[in-house]
Amino acid sequence: MLGCGSVGSQVVRLLAEQADDLAARIGAPVELVGVAVRRLDAPREVDVPATLLTTDAAALVARDDVDVVIEVIGGIEPARSLILSALEHGASVVTANKALLAEDGATLFEAAEKAGRDLYYEAAVAGAIPILRPLRESLAGDKVTRVLGIVNGTTNFILDKMDTAGSGFGDALEEAQALGYAEADPTADVEGFDAAAKAAILASLAFHSRVTAADVHREGITDVSAGDVRSAREMGSVVKLLAIAELRTDADGEEAVSVRVHPAMIPRSHPLASVREAYNAVFVESEAAGQLMFYGPGAGGSPTASAVLGDLVTVARNHRQGTRGVGESAYADRAVLPMGETRTRYHVAIDVDDRAGVLAAVAHAFAEHGVSIQTVRQEGRGNDAQLVVVSHEATDAALAATVERLRGMEIVREVTSVMRVEGAEEQ
Ligand SMILES: NC(=O)c1ccc[n+]([C@@H]2O[C@H](COP(=O)([O-])OP(=O)(O)OC[C@H]3O[C@@H](n4cnc5c(N)ncnc54)[C@H](OP(=O)(O)O)[C@@H]3O)[C@@H](O)[C@H]2O)c1
């Protein structure tokens, strides 16, 4: 095993506690032969025999008696070199490393293919929730058309607090940090980097194409205001940070992958709206199966270790039988659609002068950019009025240009909230 932090220590615990059951399920005992760490004397959540600990990870993965390497160090290097070396030396690999898979999964899959070994990574997306195997195996006979995921517990906790307690972003973040749901440096979570890595992995599996983190349009939640959340509430919706991967048609009529992470309003009737606190869920739509939802704890040492152990049992069984599981499936080779061409819907709240002709002028700004309006709500406020417009689907570029135009209009005092709308049927 490489790494013995939050996840690794729980893997060590479960390996010991469930040794007999694991042996029965695999058909042979699992023996932990070494644990590579950075600091031998660091405090650990579990007792690891000193004889197993080493700082020489490179030597550990090259050992002849190692059949499976579990990588729970995280980050790009040395994790990538160690995984490649493990495969070259004939071991199968189980990893929880979303960052590495999303940045350079292709190199790892190719190495696994060349070595004829397994590379499993269920723990990399949504912690304990079985979602990669369902996409890779259970749905292999179906055509997945959309994946909508709440795949970052920290941001879901913050947005949930903003919704239920009316907190602003800063207060909700502080609460998340105090409760251990957010890191001291929350950038990877609140700016959507973590969710973007997971979106890339989900999109690759769902659409049998190579999608990397760099392909994912990413917006975090730092600009989500208490006003946005209130506005969502008023229209029976809730704001969630969504990882979205869907099949769309490009300008040439070819199927392409739209993949993005951004805050969005979803109706409270949508199954994802009920995902509270730091929980995760992934909502999958496919042609034959229809709508599926996978829900559970998306992080934490023990839940993540559960997913790691599940993979370990699978690759150990394969190893015993001299076989391997399915490798990468990227045959469809679909292009990634630029965000500007992706069709989305917008919710736009606009403070305007309360005078005749304002509604017509605002409607004209939408029409000018070819964006049709689904609903408009108007509320008078003394000399001001607020218009809340929800558009039909249009390209993201057209919607962004419409908002720019609104901001430049004399009758518009302020565009107070702009947010994409997902998960609601077009009417
Ligand atoms: N934590 C979660 O809830 C969660 C959920 C899903 C996926 N994951 C993924 O699981 C992986 C591990 O996360 P974690 O939270 O367990 O991380 P962590 O608590 O920071 O633990 C990292 C471990 O790696 C060791 N390490 C760091 N650099 C090393 C090096 N160069 N050589 C050998 N060992 C090294 C550290 O050693 P020392 O202990 O000596 O410092 C530590 O034991 C990451 O890829 C993460 O994205 C985590």
Side-chain angles (χ1 to χ4, degrees):
M1 197 166 77
L2 309 177
C4 193
S6 303
V7 179
S9 57
Q10 296 308 310
V11 172
V12 172
R13 177 178 69 79
L14 291 172
L15 276 175
E17 285 178 11
Q18 310 204 38
D20 292 344
D21 286 321
L22 291 173
R25 291 170 198 172
I26 293 165
V30 180
E31 187 192 353
L32 185 60
V33 297
V35 180
V37 292
R38 195 172 30 188
R39 301 157 299 160
L40 288 175
D41 56 354
R44 314 241 162 248
E45 289 172 34
V46 288
D47 286 333
V48 184
T51 50
L52 292 187
L53 285 174
T54 173
T55 53
D56 193 350
L60 184 59
V61 298
R63 269 170 61 166
D64 287 343
D65 60 340
V66 168
D67 301 315
V68 183
V69 168
I70 297 173
E71 184 276 310
V72 278
I73 292 177
I76 306 302
E77 286 294 348
R80 174 172 43 201
S81 303
L82 292 168
I83 290 175
L84 293 175
S85 173
L87 291 165
E88 273 166 28
H89 285 89
S92 286
V93 172
V94 174
T95 176
N97 196 331
K98 67 210 100 165
L100 175 57
L101 284 158
E103 181 170 310
D104 196 16
T107 302
L108 305 184
F109 294 125
E110 274 161 20
E113 193 66 36
K114 193 164 158 221
R117 292 291 179 263
D118 279 333
L119 173 66
Y120 274 60
Y121 50 99
E122 182 65 66
V125 179
I129 305 173
I131 178 61
L132 303 190
R133 201 170 312 214
L135 284 174
R136 190 159 63 166
E137 295 176 21
S138 321
L139 289 166
D142 204 339
K143 180 172 184 176
V144 174
T145 51
R146 179 180 293 142
V147 180
L148 288 181
I150 294 173
V151 292
N152 181 272
T154 305
T155 46
N156 202 55
F157 181 90
I158 292 170
L159 292 172
D160 189 39
K161 283 292 153 210
M162 290 174 75
D163 180 47
T164 52
S167 329
F169 171 76
D171 289 341
L173 171 61
E174 271 179 30
E175 188 177 346
Q177 284 169 322
L179 292 170
Y181 288 122
E183 308 268 342
D185 176 1
T187 312
D189 294 319
V190 299
E191 296 292 357
F193 289 101
D194 175 80
K198 293 165 179 170
I201 295 170
L202 289 169
S204 303
L205 283 169
F207 305 125
H208 302 272
S209 300
R210 280 187 179 164
V211 179
T212 69
D215 294 322
V216 181
H217 173 87
R218 177 191 52 78
E219 294 170 32
I221 64 163
T222 50
D223 290 338
V224 176
S225 67
D228 292 330
V229 173
R230 206 169 39 243
S231 208
R233 184 171 266 285
E234 281 164 10
M235 56 170 232
S237 295
V238 60
V239 178
K240 296 287 185 190
L241 182 70
L242 296 182
I244 303 167
E246 53 189 1
L247 269 193
R248 289 284 184 162
T249 310
D250 67 13
D252 301 325
E254 297 288 324
E255 276 183 345
V257 177
S258 164
V259 57
R260 54 197 204 266
V261 166
H262 55 67
M265 292 184 184
I266 55 171
R268 284 191 190 264
S269 55
H270 193 283
L272 286 175
S274 63
V275 179
R276 304 277 316 276
E277 303 195 322
Y279 279 89
N280 281 194
V282 183
F283 188 76
V284 178
E285 295 177 30
S286 71
E287 277 189 0
Q291 300 182 329
L292 306 163
M293 172 124 131
F294 302 82
Y295 170 85
S302 184
T304 308
S306 161
V308 169
L309 269 267
D311 281 352
L312 173 68
V313 169
T314 303
V315 303
R317 283 175 179 156
N318 289 346
H319 178 81
R320 292 259 305 148
Q321 289 166 12
T323 173
R324 56 187 296 248
V326 279
E328 185 192 25
S329 172
Y331 73 93
D333 199 21
R334 292 186 172 108
V336 173
L337 204 60
M339 187 61 190
E341 289 175 34
T342 293
R343 295 180 72 77
T344 60
R345 297 171 61 207
Y346 267 16
H347 163 282
V348 189
I350 316 156
D351 282 350
V352 292
D353 292 349
D354 195 6
R355 56 177 149 103
V358 165
L359 185 57
V362 166
H364 184 66
F366 278 80
E368 259 178 358
H369 294 90
V371 179
S372 81
I373 292 175
Q374 181 181 321
T375 58
V376 185
R377 209 176 66 229
Q378 179 168 9
E379 282 170 21
R381 298 179 176 175
N383 292 335
D384 288 351
Q386 187 175 60
L387 293 179
V388 179
V389 178
V390 178
S391 76
H392 281 294
E393 265 195 6
T395 64
D396 201 74
L399 285 159
T402 306
V403 171
E404 266 319 292
R405 173 79 190 94
L406 289 170
R407 290 201 160 112
M409 287 168 67
E410 194 217 329
I411 49 146
V412 171
R413 299 204 171 166
E414 195 185 353
V415 177
T416 51
S417 168
V418 178
M419 197 165 290
R420 296 184 187 87
V421 177
E422 299 287 343
E425 292 305 319
E426 280 268 12
Q427 286 158 15

